[in-house]
Amino acid sequence: KLSVSALLALSTSSSVTAFTSTSSTFVGTSSPQHLRQHVVGPATSRRQKIVIMAGVPVVDEWRVSRKGELLGVVSNHPTLPDGDVITTSPLSDPKSSADNKIVTTQSGSKYKLGLSEATMKQMEKDRKAAEVAAKKAEQTAAREAAALAKKQAAEEKAAAAAAAAAKKVVA
């Protein structure tokens, strides 16, 4: 049996290591600069195989073209810098593309989908609508406060006039 650190050391050529024991599943990252391990959940069976895999690149602000290609902003790619805009080969199943899913291209590459262009646009639209609603609510509250202040001033004026009239009657 190999220890967690021995298994992670075996995978120094990968950016992400995943393996399971009979009790837990471990995922870690290894690089010359750092070594991390995370327990992510119970193992699914008594006999587990060691799985070593490279980190899956993430594509944010993505969309699928008419040809089935994935277009978006990549990060965690083994050869491209974070922030590069990419176009992949066609996806094996373009219709299964959804936020936070892993997709496979026809050439076998895997990508984790972040938030799609459509989701990002909807979030921006919702944010703007919330700003407008908040501004309207603020304006309504200001109008109501002004009306209440005006009403209170009128009541105070009427009370003062009544007090002055009562004073004249007594005198």
Side-chain angles (χ1 to χ4, degrees):
K1 289 185 175 182
L2 293 173
S3 70
V4 170
S5 17
L7 286 168
L8 288 172
L10 286 173
S11 66
T12 55
S13 64
S14 298
S15 62
V16 174
T17 305
F19 66 91
T20 56
S21 71
T22 56
S23 60
S24 296
T25 301
F26 298 89
V27 175
T29 61
S30 60
S31 72
Q33 293 82 20
H34 65 284
L35 186 64
R36 286 192 316 224
Q37 303 168 30
H38 304 283
V39 177
V40 294
T44 55
S45 71
R46 290 254 178 230
R47 297 179 78 196
Q48 297 287 334
K49 295 180 181 177
I50 297 171
V51 177
I52 299 175
M53 57 188 233
V56 177
V58 177
V59 180
D60 286 303
E61 299 179 47
W62 61 270
R63 66 182 176 88
V64 177
S65 73
R66 290 182 183 161
K67 296 178 184 176
E69 304 157 323
L70 177 63
L71 295 91
V73 180
V74 72
S75 60
N76 195 37
H77 195 280
T79 59
L80 298 173
D82 288 357
D84 268 12
V85 176
I86 64 166
T87 301
T88 68
S89 58
L91 298 175
S92 298
D93 185 9
K95 291 183 180 184
S96 71
S97 302
D99 290 351
N100 300 313
K101 298 277 185 176
I102 294 180
V103 294
T104 305
T105 63
Q106 290 176 359
S107 65
S109 299
K110 292 189 182 293
Y111 294 93
K112 176 157 176 38
L113 301 178
L115 297 178
S116 68
E117 251 183 13
T119 300
M120 299 288 283
K121 285 179 182 175
Q122 186 61 49
M123 287 172 61
E124 180 63 15
K125 184 178 175 183
D126 292 347
R127 184 191 64 77
K128 286 180 179 177
E131 280 180 5
V132 168
K135 189 170 185 171
K136 283 183 180 179
E138 186 179 306
Q139 290 169 344
T140 299
R143 279 193 305 273
E144 289 173 354
L148 181 61
K150 186 176 180 179
K151 180 180 175 184
Q152 287 174 339
E155 288 172 353
E156 288 173 6
K157 186 176 180 181
K167 194 174 187 183
K168 281 185 181 181
V169 170
V170 170

